[in-house]
Amino acid sequence: MIEIKKYSHQSGHPEPRRVIKYTLFWCCNGNAEVLIDENMFVLNTNQVITITSGQFHQLMHVEGELSVLEFTLDFFSKSDNDIELIFHNGLFCHFGMNEIITVRNPDFFTETLSIIEKEIREKPYQYLISIHSLVELLLIEINRNKIANGDEIWKPDALFLKFLESVRTHFPDNYPVSRFADILGTTEAKLNEVSKLHTNKTAQNVIYSLTVSEAKRLLLYEKLNIKEIAYQLGFNDPFYFSNFFKKHTSLSPKDYQKAVKN
């Protein structure tokens, strides 16, 4: 449900890994290099980056001290307010828009993570409630730093975020918007409304964007051929998948693989 890992002056993971958890990297001193999907990031002292559930990432190396907090959506999201806090100001964005954020109150950040680690280790009475509140404080602190750094306030809608999560878990089913509306107990019109509000895209185009992002991950990190990737994403025809991918990226799947790996 939730755990903290620590790294100190060492190499990272030997291979890119994918976890269905929300991950936060905190560099309290020195620097650390992290690959997230197809992009490399270098964290310096007092910087943090968040990774959404389902993204591939690889900690390359750490020259200093790094803490990693991982938690599941089920652990954190007890209400719509919790879901909205996870994605507030794009913290754990589904569209691969990871960003490095400099924290202006690093002592608070380090101390809060230490308390969370102690609560996890010792498991005192009602420790899960305590940890939930502490994670809330960390996310609020990150949001305050983003706003202080000039970001505009972006308040997500819980329905839109549930829609994104539902799409991510149903790629092989190739559901239409109407099916997602049924799953979420709403209407196509409402899904289109919240999608346009948050992304200026229709709900169907949001599905396309998430599908392209997932296709890129599978092409880069899974040992699958184009036919297998197409089927995993709900395409019955690999040729149609290739055309779909090229339409949205200007590259064929194989050309994309070559361009990124080279």
Side-chain angles (χ1 to χ4, degrees), residues 62 70 179 219:
V62 179
E70 293 181 345
R179 179 70 178 113
L219 286 164

Side-chain angles (χ1 to χ4, degrees), residues 65-101:
E65 306 289 333
L66 184 79
S67 294
V68 183
L69 174 69
E70 293 181 345
F71 59 90
T72 61
L73 187 65
D74 288 344
F75 164 76
F76 188 77
S77 295
K78 311 302 182 187
S79 69
D80 284 356
N81 287 336
D82 291 337
I83 296 174
E84 291 169 1
L85 179 57
I86 289 179
F87 299 98
H88 195 94
N89 275 21
L91 273 190
F92 293 92
C93 184
H94 282 74
F95 297 102
M97 297 166 60
N98 309 89
E99 64 173 316
I100 293 173
I101 303 153

